[in-house]
Amino acid sequence: MATILLTYLLLIIPVNGQSPCDEISFVDRAGWGARKPTSITNLTRKPLSFYVIHHTYQPPNCYDDVSCIQRVQAIQDLHQIDRGWVDIGYHFLVGENGKVYEGRGWDRQGAHAPEWNDDAYGICIIGDFRTASPNEKALNAVDSWIRCGIALGHVKKDYYIITHRQSQRPGYTECPGDGTFNVVNKWSRFCSFQNSGANLTVNETRVSLGLNFCEKELGLSSSAPIHLFTPIVLFHLLLTYLF
């Protein structure tokens, strides 16, 4: 019995102790040849409570390193040159090659969802997902990167996931496409909040309305993931058995 418990602990603890950040192939700004931003505004309310999921629609999907870098560069051109923004709008972008590309990163204010840019990280999956869903590589990368943000302390443990269409008034956008939405809405921390577009009172913000709704819908999660308790309990069982 002791041998079985010890073997299980040796197998499970390294897996559970691995950071989700280590599961991802990450390409920083230098890696995809980003231009410098024309100005920088830092986030001031970290850790944040929300992730907002997007798709690019255009440029189209990418499945290899070369085409994904080209897509990210094209998005920066669109945002920075054509629209006159200070930089690419998203915090992170994800290709169907399974890689995460750094946009504005963890520390800077985004430009991806009006009224949410101070309080939510924008993750954009590269491609058109109005009907088809992102592939498994992209979805796994998004999931790992969401958990990475929590592990690094940039996002609260009691976080919520919404999509771009939910953050804005009905009909404003179909982003991230039905193909993405129909996957994301099954994730455990997905919140079904929808911005109604109604006028706000003096003390309200879209984010405060979203927080109130999501807290009621999902409640507060445990501060320690359930899977972490398993090796702890088994360790105590092993000590009891041996001593």
Side-chain angles (χ1 to χ4, degrees):
M1 179 65 178
T3 302
I4 294 173
L5 286 172
L6 181 59
T7 301
Y8 180 79
L9 284 168
L10 290 173
L11 288 173
I12 194 171
I13 289 176
V15 173
N16 286 334
Q18 182 182 15
S19 168
C21 308
D22 298 332
E23 301 171 5
I24 305 155
S25 180
F26 178 68
V27 182
D28 63 16
R29 291 175 64 89
W32 60 267
R35 286 188 305 275
K36 292 182 179 180
T38 57
S39 67
I40 292 175
T41 302
N42 289 323
L43 291 166
T44 59
R45 293 197 278 266
K46 292 170 60 179
L48 304 189
S49 296
F50 284 95
Y51 286 103
V52 176
I53 307 299
H54 303 255
H55 75 160
T56 60
Y57 173 52
Q58 291 293 334
N61 308 46
C62 64
Y63 304 96
D64 61 81
D65 295 354
V66 172
S67 61
C68 284
I69 285 176
Q70 290 173 343
R71 303 290 192 271
V72 178
Q73 291 172 338
I75 296 165
Q76 188 183 40
D77 289 345
L78 172 66
H79 290 179
Q80 198 172 37
I81 298 174
D82 297 351
R83 296 183 180 175
W85 298 357
V86 299
D87 197 3
I88 192 169
Y90 308 112
H91 290 96
F92 301 99
L93 302 95
V94 177
E96 289 188 282
N97 60 347
K99 294 189 176 183
V100 174
Y101 296 84
E102 183 182 25
R104 298 200 182 190
W106 293 117
D107 296 323
R108 292 163 48 201
Q109 182 189 89
H112 61 94
E115 299 183 275
W116 295 78
N117 290 320
D118 290 327
D119 300 277
Y121 287 112
I123 299 179
C124 184
I125 307 174
I126 301 168
D128 177 0
F129 301 106
R130 290 174 295 174
T131 54
S133 297
N135 68 12
E136 186 175 355
K137 286 183 178 180
L139 292 171
N140 287 342
V142 173
D143 174 67
S144 294
W145 202 245
I146 285 172
R147 292 184 288 111
C148 177
I150 300 161
L152 294 175
H154 299 299
V155 181
K156 294 179 181 178
K157 293 178 181 178
D158 299 304
Y159 69 96
Y160 306 106
I161 299 170
I162 63 171
T163 62
H164 189 197
R165 64 172 65 169
Q166 296 170 258
S167 72
Q168 306 302 305
R169 67 181 185 276
Y172 177 86
T173 179
E174 61 181 344
C175 177
D178 288 345
T180 305
F181 184 83
N182 291 335
V183 174
V184 172
N185 68 5
K186 297 178 177 64
W187 291 357
S188 62
R189 298 303 296 176
F190 173 81
C191 174
S192 64
F193 170 79
Q194 173 62 56
N195 176 359
S196 68
N199 292 332
L200 298 170
T201 63
V202 174
N203 296 320
E204 286 180 335
T205 66
R206 299 297 176 198
V207 175
S208 69
L209 292 177
L211 276 173
N212 290 337
F213 182 96
C214 295
E215 286 174 359
K216 291 176 182 177
E217 181 176 74
L218 297 179
L220 299 177
S221 65
S222 171
S223 59
I226 292 175
H227 71 266
L228 293 180
F229 287 109
T230 303
I232 294 171
V233 171
L234 288 175
F235 180 72
H236 283 289
L237 286 174
L238 179 60
L239 290 178
T240 302
Y241 183 86
L242 291 175
F243 301 104

